[in-house]
């Protein structure tokens, strides 16, 4: 049996419609806060990737394994902070539960009535028109009587927005300051390309001609090289 046909218009207008609008607002806020949090986590994980690979110059295998770890952790963050909350708050019954927690005077009547109105159920002896009308009428009266408190934590939203804004600022600054490093990082650690990190010191061995070094037989071989860039300690310039 679908009870929707027995729902009074007044209940739909005064209770169900406001709950659905409240649910939409809450879902938007949850999505925004979740994205801010996930962006910050992704930036932190990427910074870790960059630091480890830049320090150790990892091969393809370790880089691919590290990428899988990052993808797994990000998928878990998305599930925890976005997917599950959105699935929960999409249900008007969950929104009724939120209001019940903030106003004990409803005495579970709102949850029960909203669940009856939105979820198909088998008919029973109690499903008489008089019983249904009394159920909805009492719930509407209780709902009218309460002063609906603010259910949105504005400070929490501002904290997440600040976190997301700071993360975007750090990313934009990094792109402006070290664009080449980030380009190589994306190629190496996200696309697993065979690209090397730039070297601070370049050594050019002298005496070679067309890739061949010739010296008299029996003489000691002495090699000299020209260093360009940063000269390490212990090397004569």
């Amino acid at each position: 049996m679908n009870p929707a046909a027995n729902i009074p218009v007044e209940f739909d207008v005064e209770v169900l419609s406001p709950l659905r609008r409240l649910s939409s607002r809450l879902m938007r806020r949850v999505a925004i806060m979740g994205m801010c949090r996930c962006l910050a986590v992704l930036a932190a994980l990427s910074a870790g990737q960059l630091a480890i690979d830049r320090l150790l110059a990892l091969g393809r295998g370790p880089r691919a394994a590290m990428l899988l770890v990052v993808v797994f952790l990000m998928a878990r963050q998305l599930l925890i902070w976005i997917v599950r909350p959105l699935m929960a708050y999409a249900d008007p019954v969950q929104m009724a539960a939120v209001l019940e927690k903030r106003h004990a005077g409803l005495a579970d009547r709102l949850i029960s009535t909203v669940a009856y109105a939105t979820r198909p159920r088998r008919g029973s002896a109690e499903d008489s028109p008089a019983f249904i009308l009394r159920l909805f009428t009492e719930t509407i009266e209780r709902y009218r009587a309460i002063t609906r408190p603010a259910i949105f934590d504005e400070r929490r939203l501002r904290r997440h927005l600040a976190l997301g804004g700071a993360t975007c600022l750090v990313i934009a600054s990094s792109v402006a300051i070290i664009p080449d490093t980030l380009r190589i990082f994306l190629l190496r650690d996200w696309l697993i390309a065979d690209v090397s990190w730039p070297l601070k010191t370049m050594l050019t061995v002298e005496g070679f001609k067309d890739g061949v070094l010739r010296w008299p037989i029996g003489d000691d071989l002495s090699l000299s090289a020209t260093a360009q860039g940063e000269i390490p300690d212990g090397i004569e310039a």
Side-chain angles (χ1 to χ4, degrees), residues 87-99:
M87 292 176 63
Y89 292 127
D91 187 359
V93 177
Q94 294 295 331
M95 295 310 306
V98 171
L99 287 179

Side-chain angles (χ1 to χ4, degrees), residues 31 38 52 59 63 67 83 105 145 151 182:
C38 289
I52 293 174
R63 281 184 280 136
L67 177 60
V83 177
I151 67 170
L182 292 182

